[in-house]
Amino acid sequence: MPSDALTTLPDDALLVLYANGDRHAAQALTARLLPRVFRQARHMLGDASEAEDVAQDAMVRLWRIAPDWRQGEAQVTTWLYRVTANLCTDRLRKRRGVGLDEIAEPEDPAPSAAQRLQDRARGDALQQALDQLPERQRQAVVLRHIEGLPNPEIADVMEISPRAVESLTARGKRALAALLAGRRAELGYDDETA
Amino acid sequence: MKQHDNEETVEVDALLKAARDPVPDVPDGLTARVLADAAALQPAQMGVMREKPGLWVRWTDLLGGWQGMGGLVAATCAGVWIGLNPPAALPDAGVLLLGYETADFTTTTAELTSFGWDLNGE
């Protein structure tokens, strides 16, 4: 099938095409899903290198399940977010016991305009705050506020009730606010609100 | 205090929105690795993938495919031909196995004449 025509197809149809041997379907799925998987893993793990490994692993599992995928039973994105979340959880569990000093520092920002530096500083501050949240709160906050998933889909991904999702995201946001409270001036918010 | 809390929440919302908006830059190497995995794990190429064979195909495969079936048909034809028109050099199977000529067997056997049928018309 021509690659242009594939962009309009839903994820599960692309997955079936891939299972039937269409090479372009893999490219379309990768272009559509890999950025989300990578972003989710990066925010969950706070480390780009580990996030690459997790994203690749999650996509491998997608390719493997393609021949057995049943169209209409589940959303591909929901399944993939769950796989990614589980892979991140495994990594975080293995990481426990590793001292804070051993965790990689966020990459240095490339020299650029002042605004870009500040954006980068804010992004790093958010990531550092996310890293301090309990794992389930972090997962819920990333899926809700960064990936933009609705609560019922997050409930499917995390295998909990939508009310539990609401509770986790609310507590997560409060915790983030508390963690970032002391860095308002550093992040330039005092200037903006004054 | 309430105002301060609201400001902090707004800042968190702004930070989360900023993290959500940009399309993340996926490293080129990662995309290449993922596509290589996809190619390696793809079940079959379009058009090359075979449908499940039918019963007849599976049966003929069991007998050796078209070559085996050809041999089987040739052997069957040869057997029928020899049965209908045996070469003179071949011994009579009736003499060998039963001890009398096939013609005698068909005309004198009690089973074939006992119901008033007389194959010789006598």
Side-chain angles (χ1 to χ4, degrees), chain A residues 40 77-86 136 139 143 149 151-160:
Chain A
Q40 182 195 2
T77 48
T78 304
W79 181 89
L80 199 56
Y81 278 128
R82 185 184 299 165
V83 167
T84 307
N86 289 340
R136 301 286 279 176
Q139 205 174 101
L143 291 173
L149 265 59
N151 282 351
E153 192 173 349
I154 300 171
D156 280 346
V157 170
M158 298 182 68
E159 296 175 310
I160 54 177

Side-chain angles (χ1 to χ4, degrees), chain A residues 18-23 26 30 34-35 38-39 52 56 60 63 67 122 126 145-146 148 173 177 180-181 184 189, chain B residues 7-8 11-13 15-16 19-20 22 24-27 30-31 33-35 37-38 41-46 49:
Chain A
Y18 166 76
N20 286 337
D22 190 324
R23 284 182 297 113
T30 301
L34 183 60
F38 179 61
R39 180 167 61 180
E52 279 193 44
Q56 186 180 356
V60 162
W63 306 136
R122 287 175 177 180
L126 175 67
H145 295 290
I146 296 179
K173 275 184 71 177
L180 293 164
R184 299 183 80 246
Y189 285 114
Chain B
E7 281 175 7
E8 287 174 355
E11 287 157 15
V12 169
D13 284 338
L15 283 171
L16 290 168
R20 174 182 180 175
D25 296 325
V26 176
L30 174 59
T31 304
R33 289 199 301 277
V34 167
L35 288 174
D37 289 340
L41 295 169
Q42 193 154 25
Q45 291 297 311
M46 187 80 89
M49 198 175 76

Side-chain angles (χ1 to χ4, degrees), chain B:
Chain B
M1 185 66 184
K2 191 88 172 176
Q3 174 68 23
H4 189 64
D5 284 350
N6 284 342
E7 281 175 7
E8 287 174 355
T9 305
V10 168
E11 287 157 15
V12 169
D13 284 338
L15 283 171
L16 290 168
K17 188 174 183 306
R20 174 182 180 175
D21 281 345
V23 176
D25 296 325
V26 176
D28 290 339
L30 174 59
T31 304
R33 289 199 301 277
V34 167
L35 288 174
D37 289 340
L41 295 169
Q42 193 154 25
Q45 291 297 311
M46 187 80 89
V48 176
M49 198 175 76
R50 290 170 51 184
E51 291 179 5
K52 191 178 177 184
L55 184 64
W56 173 251
V57 173
R58 278 183 280 162
W59 177 245
T60 53
D61 282 349
L62 194 67
L63 294 173
W66 66 267
Q67 298 96 330
M69 286 298 288
L72 198 62
V73 168
T76 305
C77 290
V80 169
W81 177 253
I82 290 168
L84 288 173
N85 188 18
L90 277 182
D92 190 327
V95 175
L96 283 177
L97 299 173
L98 304 172
Y100 43 68
E101 294 284 339
T102 313
D104 291 344
F105 176 76
T106 56
T107 54
T108 59
T109 306
E111 289 84 348
L112 297 174
T113 56
S114 58
F115 293 103
W117 303 335
D118 189 343
L119 296 178
N120 284 339
E122 294 171 358

Side-chain angles (χ1 to χ4, degrees), chain A residues 26-105:
Chain A
Q27 290 169 351
L29 279 169
T30 301
R32 195 181 292 180
L33 300 175
L34 183 60
R36 297 192 211 178
V37 172
F38 179 61
R39 180 167 61 180
Q40 182 195 2
R42 200 177 55 186
H43 284 293
M44 281 292 294
L45 298 168
D47 181 84
S49 171
E50 273 196 284
E52 279 193 44
D53 292 344
V54 164
Q56 186 180 356
D57 200 356
M59 294 300 286
V60 162
R61 288 168 196 233
L62 181 69
W63 306 136
R64 286 208 171 116
I65 203 169
D68 302 319
W69 189 266
R70 292 182 185 176
Q71 265 185 295
E73 282 195 7
Q75 282 194 47
V76 175
T77 48
T78 304
W79 181 89
L80 199 56
Y81 278 128
R82 185 184 299 165
V83 167
T84 307
N86 289 340
L87 290 170
C88 289
T89 300
D90 289 346
R91 293 244 169 187
L92 290 169
R93 283 182 184 154
K94 281 180 192 165
R95 202 192 276 174
R96 271 179 204 158
V98 176
L100 276 177
D101 293 341
E102 294 170 58
I103 297 174
E105 287 292 322

